[in-house]
Amino acid sequence: MKTVILGAGVIGVTTAYFLAKAGHEVTVVESRSGSGLETSFANAGEISPGYASPWAAPGVPSKIPGWLLMRHAPLILSRPLERETVAWLLATLRNCAPRRYAINKSRMVRLANYSRDVLRQLRAETGIHYDNQARGTLQLFRTQQQMDAAGKDIEVLKEYGVPFELLDRRGCETAEPGLGRSAVDLVGGLRLPDDETGDCFVFTQAMTRMARDLGVRFRFDTRVDACVLDQGQVRRVRTTAGDLETDACIIAAGNGSRKLLQSVGLDMPVVPVKGYSLTLPVIDPSDAPVSTILDETYKVAITRLGDRIRIGGLAEIAGYDPSLDRRRAHTLWHAFSTLFSDQRSTEDAELWAGLRPMTPDGTPIVGATRIPNLFVNSGHGTLGWTMACGSAKLLSDLLSATAPDIEYVDLSLLRYRAGAQP
Protein backbone atom coordinates (compact mmCIF):
# COMPACT_ATOMS: atom_id res chain seq x y z
CA MET A 1 0.00 0.00 0.00
CA LYS A 2 1.28 3.48 -0.90
CA THR A 3 1.31 5.45 2.35
CA VAL A 4 2.19 9.07 3.07
CA ILE A 5 3.17 10.07 6.61
CA LEU A 6 3.02 13.73 7.55
CA GLY A 7 5.71 14.55 10.10
CA ALA A 8 9.23 13.27 10.80
CA GLY A 9 9.46 13.45 14.57
CA VAL A 10 10.02 10.30 16.60
CA ILE A 11 6.37 9.29 16.04
CA GLY A 12 6.36 9.72 12.26
CA VAL A 13 9.77 8.16 11.65
CA THR A 14 9.07 5.14 13.86
CA THR A 15 5.73 4.63 12.13
CA ALA A 16 7.48 4.77 8.75
CA TYR A 17 9.95 2.10 9.82
CA PHE A 18 7.30 -0.37 10.98
CA LEU A 19 5.14 0.20 7.90
CA ALA A 20 8.10 -0.34 5.58
CA LYS A 21 9.04 -3.45 7.50
CA ALA A 22 5.50 -4.71 6.90
CA GLY A 23 5.94 -4.21 3.15
CA HIS A 24 4.31 -0.83 2.53
CA GLU A 25 5.61 1.85 0.15
CA VAL A 26 6.18 4.82 2.45
CA THR A 27 6.90 8.52 1.93
CA VAL A 28 7.50 10.86 4.87
CA VAL A 29 6.94 14.60 4.42
CA GLU A 30 8.57 17.08 6.81
CA SER A 31 8.81 20.87 6.75
CA ARG A 32 12.13 20.94 8.59
CA SER A 33 15.51 20.07 7.05
CA GLY A 34 15.74 16.73 8.86
CA SER A 35 14.00 14.36 11.23
CA GLY A 36 13.52 14.88 14.95
CA LEU A 37 14.24 18.61 14.92
CA GLU A 38 11.24 19.84 16.90
CA THR A 39 9.65 18.24 19.99
CA SER A 40 11.81 15.12 19.64
CA PHE A 41 15.08 17.05 19.69
CA ALA A 42 15.97 17.54 23.37
CA ASN A 43 13.29 16.09 25.62
CA ALA A 44 13.92 14.78 29.12
CA GLY A 45 15.12 11.39 27.85
CA GLU A 46 12.83 9.20 29.95
CA ILE A 47 11.15 6.01 28.77
CA SER A 48 8.84 5.61 31.74
CA PRO A 49 5.77 3.40 31.23
CA GLY A 50 5.25 3.26 34.99
CA TYR A 51 4.76 7.02 35.11
CA ALA A 52 2.35 7.11 32.17
CA SER A 53 -0.40 9.18 33.78
CA PRO A 54 -2.72 11.97 32.65
CA TRP A 55 -1.91 15.46 33.83
CA ALA A 56 -5.66 15.69 34.46
CA ALA A 57 -5.86 13.92 37.82
CA PRO A 58 -7.96 14.20 40.99
CA GLY A 59 -6.58 16.96 43.18
CA VAL A 60 -4.90 18.86 40.34
CA PRO A 61 -7.49 21.70 40.14
CA SER A 62 -6.82 22.64 43.77
CA LYS A 63 -3.04 22.66 43.14
CA ILE A 64 -3.08 24.93 40.09
CA PRO A 65 -3.30 28.28 41.97
CA GLY A 66 -0.30 27.30 44.11
CA TRP A 67 1.73 26.20 41.08
CA LEU A 68 1.05 29.47 39.28
CA LEU A 69 2.21 31.48 42.30
CA MET A 70 5.41 29.51 42.99
CA ARG A 71 8.70 31.31 42.45
CA HIS A 72 9.92 28.31 40.47
CA ALA A 73 6.57 27.51 38.92
CA PRO A 74 6.03 24.21 37.07
CA LEU A 75 2.97 25.70 35.28
CA ILE A 76 3.00 29.02 33.42
CA LEU A 77 0.19 30.86 31.63
CA SER A 78 2.19 33.39 29.66
CA ARG A 79 -0.21 35.08 27.28
CA PRO A 80 -3.91 35.79 26.65
CA LEU A 81 -5.51 32.43 25.93
CA GLU A 82 -7.06 31.63 22.57
CA ARG A 83 -10.55 30.16 22.46
CA GLU A 84 -9.34 26.66 21.55
CA THR A 85 -6.93 26.73 24.51
CA VAL A 86 -9.68 27.77 26.92
CA ALA A 87 -11.86 24.92 25.63
CA TRP A 88 -8.93 22.53 26.09
CA LEU A 89 -8.32 23.72 29.66
CA LEU A 90 -11.98 23.24 30.58
CA ALA A 91 -11.97 19.75 29.05
CA THR A 92 -8.79 18.96 30.98
CA LEU A 93 -10.43 20.01 34.24
CA ARG A 94 -13.42 17.76 33.49
CA ASN A 95 -11.02 14.85 33.02
CA CYS A 96 -9.74 15.35 36.58
CA ALA A 97 -12.81 13.46 37.85
CA PRO A 98 -11.76 10.13 39.46
CA ARG A 99 -13.67 7.92 37.02
CA ARG A 100 -12.30 9.69 33.95
CA TYR A 101 -8.79 9.64 35.40
CA ALA A 102 -8.98 5.88 35.96
CA ILE A 103 -10.11 5.28 32.38
CA ASN A 104 -7.47 7.56 30.88
CA LYS A 105 -4.73 6.11 33.07
CA SER A 106 -5.62 2.57 31.98
CA ARG A 107 -5.43 3.56 28.31
CA MET A 108 -2.05 5.22 28.74
CA VAL A 109 -0.50 2.39 30.75
CA ARG A 110 -1.74 -0.15 28.21
CA LEU A 111 -0.08 1.67 25.32
CA ALA A 112 3.08 2.57 27.27
CA ASN A 113 3.71 -0.99 28.46
CA TYR A 114 3.14 -2.31 24.95
CA SER A 115 5.52 0.30 23.56
CA ARG A 116 8.22 -0.74 26.04
CA ASP A 117 7.93 -4.34 24.82
CA VAL A 118 8.07 -3.33 21.16
CA LEU A 119 11.13 -1.15 21.80
CA ARG A 120 12.92 -4.01 23.53
CA GLN A 121 12.17 -6.31 20.61
CA LEU A 122 13.37 -3.66 18.15
CA ARG A 123 16.60 -3.25 20.09
CA ALA A 124 17.16 -7.01 20.16
CA GLU A 125 16.54 -7.34 16.41
CA THR A 126 18.53 -4.33 15.21
CA GLY A 127 21.08 -3.49 17.91
CA ILE A 128 20.02 0.17 17.71
CA HIS A 129 21.90 2.41 20.15
CA TYR A 130 20.80 5.81 21.45
CA ASP A 131 22.69 6.40 24.72
CA ASN A 132 20.24 3.94 26.18
CA GLN A 133 20.33 2.25 29.54
CA ALA A 134 17.84 0.51 31.81
CA ARG A 135 18.52 1.63 35.37
CA GLY A 136 15.09 2.79 36.48
CA THR A 137 13.40 6.05 37.45
CA LEU A 138 13.43 7.57 40.93
CA GLN A 139 10.64 9.98 41.91
CA LEU A 140 11.90 12.16 44.77
CA PHE A 141 9.71 13.51 47.57
CA ARG A 142 10.81 16.63 49.44
CA THR A 143 7.81 16.56 51.82
CA GLN A 144 5.95 13.95 53.82
CA GLN A 145 2.73 15.05 52.12
CA GLN A 146 4.18 14.04 48.75
CA MET A 147 5.30 10.71 50.17
CA ASP A 148 1.84 10.03 51.58
CA ALA A 149 0.16 10.98 48.29
CA ALA A 150 2.25 8.34 46.49
CA GLY A 151 -0.07 5.73 47.96
CA LYS A 152 -2.59 6.28 45.17
CA ASP A 153 0.10 5.81 42.54
CA ILE A 154 1.31 2.67 44.25
CA GLU A 155 -2.20 1.21 44.08
CA VAL A 156 -2.20 1.77 40.31
CA LEU A 157 1.26 0.25 39.96
CA LYS A 158 0.09 -2.85 41.83
CA GLU A 159 -3.03 -3.07 39.66
CA TYR A 160 -0.95 -3.13 36.48
CA GLY A 161 1.84 -5.31 37.84
CA VAL A 162 4.54 -2.61 37.60
CA PRO A 163 7.55 -3.38 39.85
CA PHE A 164 8.34 -0.58 42.33
CA GLU A 165 10.36 0.22 45.44
CA LEU A 166 9.33 2.72 48.13
CA LEU A 167 12.56 4.13 49.55
CA ASP A 168 13.69 6.27 52.47
CA ARG A 169 16.48 8.81 52.00
CA ARG A 170 19.22 6.22 52.42
CA GLY A 171 17.55 4.02 49.82
CA CYS A 172 17.41 6.97 47.43
CA GLU A 173 21.13 7.57 47.92
CA THR A 174 21.84 3.91 47.24
CA ALA A 175 19.96 4.13 43.95
CA GLU A 176 21.44 7.55 43.09
CA PRO A 177 24.75 8.01 45.00
CA GLY A 178 25.12 11.62 43.81
CA LEU A 179 22.23 12.58 46.10
CA GLY A 180 24.47 11.91 49.10
CA ARG A 181 25.92 15.41 48.78
CA SER A 182 22.54 17.16 48.59
CA ALA A 183 21.59 19.55 51.39
CA VAL A 184 17.88 18.98 50.68
CA ASP A 185 16.05 17.18 53.48
CA LEU A 186 14.65 14.47 51.26
CA VAL A 187 11.84 12.40 52.75
CA GLY A 188 12.07 9.47 50.36
CA GLY A 189 11.29 8.29 46.87
CA LEU A 190 9.39 5.90 44.63
CA ARG A 191 11.62 3.93 42.27
CA LEU A 192 10.53 2.02 39.17
CA PRO A 193 13.47 -0.28 38.37
CA ASP A 194 12.23 -1.32 34.90
CA ASP A 195 12.16 2.18 33.38
CA GLU A 196 14.74 3.16 30.77
CA THR A 197 16.47 6.26 29.45
CA GLY A 198 17.81 7.32 26.07
CA ASP A 199 18.34 10.20 23.67
CA CYS A 200 15.17 10.59 21.61
CA PHE A 201 16.90 12.61 18.88
CA VAL A 202 19.69 10.04 18.47
CA PHE A 203 17.03 7.31 18.30
CA THR A 204 15.03 9.21 15.68
CA GLN A 205 18.11 9.74 13.52
CA ALA A 206 19.00 6.05 13.75
CA MET A 207 15.44 5.04 12.87
CA THR A 208 15.56 7.39 9.88
CA ARG A 209 18.62 5.57 8.54
CA MET A 210 17.03 2.16 9.10
CA ALA A 211 13.79 3.30 7.47
CA ARG A 212 15.72 4.52 4.43
CA ASP A 213 17.42 1.12 4.22
CA LEU A 214 13.92 -0.38 3.97
CA GLY A 215 13.01 1.95 1.10
CA VAL A 216 11.26 4.81 2.90
CA ARG A 217 11.51 8.11 1.03
CA PHE A 218 11.93 11.31 3.04
CA ARG A 219 10.92 14.69 1.62
CA PHE A 220 12.45 17.31 3.89
CA ASP A 221 12.06 21.08 3.55
CA THR A 222 8.56 20.38 2.24
CA ARG A 223 5.46 21.93 3.80
CA VAL A 224 2.11 20.18 3.66
CA ASP A 225 -0.73 22.55 2.78
CA ALA A 226 -3.72 20.19 2.84
CA CYS A 227 -5.03 16.69 2.47
CA VAL A 228 -7.33 16.49 -0.56
CA LEU A 229 -10.49 14.38 -0.47
CA ASP A 230 -11.77 12.48 -3.49
CA GLN A 231 -14.98 10.48 -3.11
CA GLY A 232 -14.69 10.56 0.66
CA GLN A 233 -11.06 9.46 0.94
CA VAL A 234 -7.65 11.17 0.98
CA ARG A 235 -6.17 10.50 -2.45
CA ARG A 236 -3.71 13.39 -2.65
CA VAL A 237 -1.58 15.38 -0.26
CA ARG A 238 -0.86 18.92 -1.41
CA THR A 239 2.68 20.08 -0.62
CA THR A 240 5.01 22.90 -1.61
CA ALA A 241 6.89 20.38 -3.77
CA GLY A 242 3.76 19.22 -5.60
CA ASP A 243 0.95 16.76 -4.94
CA LEU A 244 1.59 13.25 -3.64
CA GLU A 245 -0.83 10.46 -4.49
CA THR A 246 -1.59 8.02 -1.71
CA ASP A 247 -3.65 4.99 -0.74
CA ALA A 248 -3.48 5.90 2.94
CA CYS A 249 -2.40 8.97 4.88
CA ILE A 250 -1.12 9.16 8.47
CA ILE A 251 -1.04 12.49 10.25
CA ALA A 252 1.87 12.47 12.71
CA ALA A 253 2.71 16.15 12.58
CA GLY A 254 2.56 16.90 16.29
CA ASN A 255 1.20 20.38 16.84
CA GLY A 256 0.57 20.75 13.11
CA SER A 257 -1.83 17.80 13.11
CA ARG A 258 -4.87 19.82 14.09
CA LYS A 259 -4.63 22.17 11.11
CA LEU A 260 -4.14 19.27 8.70
CA LEU A 261 -7.22 17.50 10.04
CA GLN A 262 -9.22 20.69 9.70
CA SER A 263 -8.35 20.69 5.98
CA VAL A 264 -10.62 17.64 5.61
CA GLY A 265 -13.34 18.82 8.00
CA LEU A 266 -12.13 17.04 11.13
CA ASP A 267 -10.83 18.42 14.41
CA MET A 268 -8.81 17.13 17.32
CA PRO A 269 -8.65 18.62 20.83
CA VAL A 270 -4.87 19.08 20.95
CA VAL A 271 -3.00 22.22 21.98
CA PRO A 272 0.75 22.88 22.33
CA VAL A 273 2.25 22.97 25.81
CA LYS A 274 5.81 24.28 25.85
CA GLY A 275 8.48 22.40 27.76
CA TYR A 276 12.10 23.35 28.35
CA SER A 277 15.35 21.46 28.81
CA LEU A 278 18.96 22.16 29.74
CA THR A 279 21.80 19.92 28.53
CA LEU A 280 25.28 19.95 30.04
CA PRO A 281 28.29 17.64 30.06
CA VAL A 282 29.10 15.40 33.01
CA ILE A 283 32.17 16.73 34.82
CA ASP A 284 32.21 14.57 37.96
CA PRO A 285 30.41 11.22 37.53
CA SER A 286 30.14 10.87 41.31
CA ASP A 287 28.07 14.07 41.41
CA ALA A 288 25.67 13.20 38.59
CA PRO A 289 22.56 11.04 38.24
CA VAL A 290 23.04 7.48 37.04
CA SER A 291 19.56 7.30 35.48
CA THR A 292 16.43 9.51 35.75
CA ILE A 293 15.28 11.48 38.78
CA LEU A 294 11.83 13.07 38.90
CA ASP A 295 11.57 15.99 41.32
CA GLU A 296 7.96 15.90 42.49
CA THR A 297 8.03 19.47 43.81
CA TYR A 298 9.12 21.20 40.61
CA LYS A 299 7.94 18.53 38.11
CA VAL A 300 11.47 18.39 36.67
CA ALA A 301 13.26 15.32 35.28
CA ILE A 302 17.05 14.99 35.54
CA THR A 303 18.42 12.28 33.24
CA ARG A 304 21.85 10.84 32.52
CA LEU A 305 22.44 10.42 28.78
CA GLY A 306 25.90 8.94 28.38
CA ASP A 307 28.38 11.72 29.13
CA ARG A 308 25.61 14.36 29.32
CA ILE A 309 22.91 15.41 31.77
CA ARG A 310 19.48 16.47 30.52
CA ILE A 311 17.25 18.55 32.83
CA GLY A 312 13.71 18.86 31.48
CA GLY A 313 10.30 20.01 32.56
CA LEU A 314 7.81 22.88 32.91
CA ALA A 315 4.43 23.37 31.27
CA GLU A 316 4.07 26.77 29.64
CA ILE A 317 0.82 27.48 27.85
CA ALA A 318 1.88 30.07 25.28
CA GLY A 319 0.09 29.12 22.09
CA TYR A 320 2.28 28.13 19.16
CA ASP A 321 5.17 30.40 20.20
CA PRO A 322 8.39 28.32 20.10
CA SER A 323 10.67 31.08 21.41
CA LEU A 324 13.04 30.57 24.34
CA ASP A 325 12.43 32.43 27.57
CA ARG A 326 15.69 32.21 29.51
CA ARG A 327 13.87 32.85 32.78
CA ARG A 328 12.51 29.31 32.57
CA ALA A 329 16.04 27.92 32.82
CA HIS A 330 16.24 29.09 36.44
CA THR A 331 13.50 26.69 37.56
CA LEU A 332 15.22 23.75 35.89
CA TRP A 333 18.56 24.77 37.32
CA HIS A 334 17.13 25.29 40.80
CA ALA A 335 15.81 21.72 40.90
CA PHE A 336 19.14 20.33 39.67
CA SER A 337 21.47 22.45 41.80
CA THR A 338 19.64 21.73 45.05
CA LEU A 339 19.93 17.97 44.47
CA PHE A 340 23.48 17.86 43.12
CA SER A 341 26.42 19.97 44.28
CA ASP A 342 27.63 20.86 40.79
CA GLN A 343 28.71 24.51 40.98
CA ARG A 344 28.18 25.56 37.37
CA SER A 345 25.57 28.08 36.27
CA THR A 346 22.81 28.08 33.67
CA GLU A 347 25.22 29.77 31.25
CA ASP A 348 27.13 26.50 31.01
CA ALA A 349 24.07 24.60 29.77
CA GLU A 350 22.32 24.49 26.41
CA LEU A 351 18.72 25.72 26.70
CA TRP A 352 16.02 24.29 24.42
CA ALA A 353 12.23 24.53 24.21
CA GLY A 354 9.71 22.32 22.42
CA LEU A 355 5.95 22.35 21.97
CA ARG A 356 4.32 19.15 23.18
CA PRO A 357 0.98 18.25 21.53
CA MET A 358 -1.35 17.54 24.45
CA THR A 359 -4.85 16.06 24.59
CA PRO A 360 -7.21 17.01 27.44
CA ASP A 361 -7.44 13.40 28.63
CA GLY A 362 -3.70 12.70 28.41
CA THR A 363 -4.14 9.76 26.04
CA PRO A 364 -2.61 10.17 22.57
CA ILE A 365 -4.74 9.87 19.46
CA VAL A 366 -3.71 6.72 17.61
CA GLY A 367 -5.80 5.03 14.95
CA ALA A 368 -8.61 5.55 12.50
CA THR A 369 -10.81 8.53 11.69
CA ARG A 370 -14.24 8.59 10.06
CA ILE A 371 -12.42 9.04 6.73
CA PRO A 372 -11.60 5.43 5.80
CA ASN A 373 -7.97 5.84 4.70
CA LEU A 374 -6.95 8.67 7.05
CA PHE A 375 -5.21 7.82 10.32
CA VAL A 376 -3.77 9.86 13.19
CA ASN A 377 -0.71 9.26 15.36
CA SER A 378 -0.38 12.41 17.46
CA GLY A 379 -1.14 14.09 20.79
CA HIS A 380 1.39 12.13 22.89
CA GLY A 381 2.27 15.14 25.04
CA THR A 382 5.26 14.43 27.29
CA LEU A 383 5.17 10.70 26.47
CA GLY A 384 5.94 10.60 22.76
CA TRP A 385 9.30 8.97 23.42
CA THR A 386 7.76 6.49 25.85
CA MET A 387 4.91 5.51 23.49
CA ALA A 388 6.50 5.88 20.04
CA CYS A 389 7.23 2.25 19.23
CA GLY A 390 3.90 0.92 20.45
CA SER A 391 1.94 3.59 18.59
CA ALA A 392 3.88 2.91 15.39
CA LYS A 393 3.47 -0.86 15.56
CA LEU A 394 -0.25 -0.50 16.30
CA LEU A 395 -0.79 1.67 13.21
CA SER A 396 1.31 -0.65 11.07
CA ASP A 397 -0.88 -3.57 12.10
CA LEU A 398 -4.07 -1.62 11.38
CA LEU A 399 -2.94 -0.67 7.87
CA SER A 400 -1.69 -4.21 7.23
CA ALA A 401 -5.01 -5.83 8.25
CA THR A 402 -3.16 -7.59 11.07
CA ALA A 403 -4.87 -8.02 14.43
CA PRO A 404 -3.15 -5.60 16.85
CA ASP A 405 -1.63 -6.98 20.05
CA ILE A 406 -3.58 -4.59 22.31
CA GLU A 407 -7.05 -3.09 22.53
CA TYR A 408 -7.02 0.01 20.37
CA VAL A 409 -10.48 1.35 19.51
CA ASP A 410 -10.57 3.73 22.49
CA LEU A 411 -7.23 5.29 21.45
CA SER A 412 -8.52 6.78 18.21
CA LEU A 413 -9.95 10.19 17.38
CA LEU A 414 -13.41 8.57 17.34
CA ARG A 415 -13.51 8.64 21.16
CA TYR A 416 -14.24 12.36 20.95
CA ARG A 417 -17.43 11.94 18.92
CA ALA A 418 -20.56 13.42 20.45
CA GLY A 419 -22.17 10.78 22.61
CA ALA A 420 -19.10 8.54 22.77
CA GLN A 421 -18.73 6.89 26.16
CA PRO A 422 -15.37 6.40 27.95
Side-chain angles (χ1 to χ4, degrees):
M1 181 184 294
K2 184 183 295 184
T3 304
V4 173
I5 298 174
L6 311 182
V10 65
I11 300 297
V13 169
T14 308
T15 303
Y17 171 83
F18 279 100
L19 280 168
K21 187 180 177 184
H24 296 271
E25 180 184 340
V26 183
T27 299
V28 179
V29 185
E30 168 60 47
S31 62
R32 302 291 292 267
S33 60
S35 56
L37 295 179
E38 293 194 15
T39 309
S40 304
F41 184 71
N43 66 14
E46 319 161 55
I47 305 171
S48 301
Y51 287 110
S53 297
W55 285 13
V60 165
S62 63
K63 295 178 182 178
I64 289 176
W67 286 340
L68 292 172
L69 295 173
M70 285 173 62
R71 179 184 176 190
H72 296 289
L75 175 65
I76 306 107
L77 300 178
S78 64
R79 61 185 297 169
L81 302 179
E82 298 176 354
R83 184 164 56 181
E84 68 178 32
T85 304
V86 173
W88 179 88
L89 285 169
L90 292 174
T92 299
L93 291 174
R94 288 195 295 271
N95 276 284
C96 291
R99 177 173 176 269
R100 286 176 178 260
Y101 173 80
I103 292 169
N104 297 330
K105 171 80 175 180
S106 68
R107 292 168 173 168
M108 296 175 71
V109 170
R110 181 202 320 154
L111 181 57
N113 285 341
Y114 175 58
S115 189
R116 173 202 59 207
D117 296 341
V118 175
L119 174 59
R120 289 175 177 175
Q121 183 177 355
L122 172 73
R123 198 164 57 228
E125 291 176 353
T126 66
I128 186 172
H129 183 75
Y130 43 92
D131 279 337
N132 51 293
Q133 58 176 1
R135 302 186 67 171
T137 298
L138 175 62
Q139 183 181 14
L140 285 181
F141 305 127
R142 296 178 184 241
T143 69
Q144 187 61 47
Q145 184 179 10
Q146 292 172 348
M147 188 85 164
D148 295 341
K152 294 180 181 179
D153 292 329
I154 290 172
E155 291 176 6
V156 175
L157 295 174
K158 289 179 178 178
E159 179 183 355
Y160 291 100
V162 179
F164 69 90
E165 301 167 354
L166 192 62
L167 307 175
D168 58 13
R169 171 157 188 155
R170 180 170 295 181
C172 292
E173 292 175 3
T174 299
E176 288 284 355
L179 293 173
R181 304 182 188 181
S182 173
V184 176
D185 186 17
L186 297 173
V187 174
L190 178 63
R191 181 171 180 264
L192 305 188
D194 283 357
D195 281 2
E196 303 182 9
T197 59
D199 191 314
C200 182
F201 175 70
V202 173
F203 175 86
T204 304
Q205 292 288 300
M207 290 295 286
T208 300
R209 293 190 292 271
M210 293 195 301
R212 275 198 170 113
D213 290 343
L214 292 175
V216 175
R217 293 186 294 272
F218 287 85
R219 292 180 175 237
F220 295 120
D221 296 309
T222 303
R223 189 184 72 246
V224 176
D225 292 327
C227 299
V228 181
L229 292 178
D230 182 7
Q231 296 183 343
Q233 297 195 41
V234 176
R235 293 305 182 191
R236 287 182 296 122
V237 176
R238 186 172 299 145
T239 79
T240 52
D243 288 1
L244 296 174
E245 295 185 358
T246 185
D247 298 317
C249 180
I250 298 173
I251 296 179
N255 293 292
S257 299
R258 187 169 197 167
K259 182 178 179 181
L260 292 171
L261 279 170
Q262 288 172 342
S263 74
V264 291
L266 302 179
D267 196 12
M268 59 189 293
V270 169
V271 302
V273 178
K274 189 188 297 186
Y276 289 81
S277 74
L278 292 169
T279 305
L280 60 154
V282 173
I283 293 179
D284 180 359
S286 68
D287 192 27
V290 298
S291 188
T292 292
I293 292 173
L294 298 178
D295 189 322
E296 178 62 17
T297 298
Y298 300 106
K299 308 298 183 184
V300 168
I302 305 168
T303 300
R304 178 74 169 269
L305 296 174
D307 59 359
R308 297 165 296 149
I309 299 170
R310 176 74 49 75
I311 310 162
L314 306 184
E316 181 179 4
I317 299 177
Y320 290 85
D321 177 14
S323 62
L324 291 172
D325 185 337
R326 294 208 65 87
R327 294 175 297 175
R328 309 303 177 217
H330 297 303
T331 296
L332 301 177
W333 194 258
H334 177 76
F336 172 71
S337 62
T338 56
L339 295 174
F340 296 93
S341 59
D342 192 302
Q343 297 301 308
R344 290 173 289 182
S345 70
T346 57
E347 300 303 319
D348 300 314
E350 180 181 351
L351 178 64
W352 171 88
L355 301 177
R356 316 175 185 110
M358 300 284 296
T359 65
D361 55 17
T363 311
I365 299 170
V366 185
T369 70
R370 61 178 174 81
I371 296 174
N373 70 334
L374 179 63
F375 299 81
V376 178
N377 197 359
S378 188
H380 294 74
T382 59
L383 295 170
W385 184 201
T386 294
M387 296 181 171
C389 287
S391 301
K393 181 63 165 59
L394 170 59
L395 267 186
S396 174
D397 288 343
L398 290 175
L399 268 71
S400 304
T402 300
D405 297 317
I406 61 170
E407 183 182 345
Y408 63 91
V409 174
D410 57 349
L411 303 177
S412 78
L413 182 64
L414 301 176
R415 72 178 185 266
Y416 294 112
R417 290 179 301 178
Q421 295 297 313

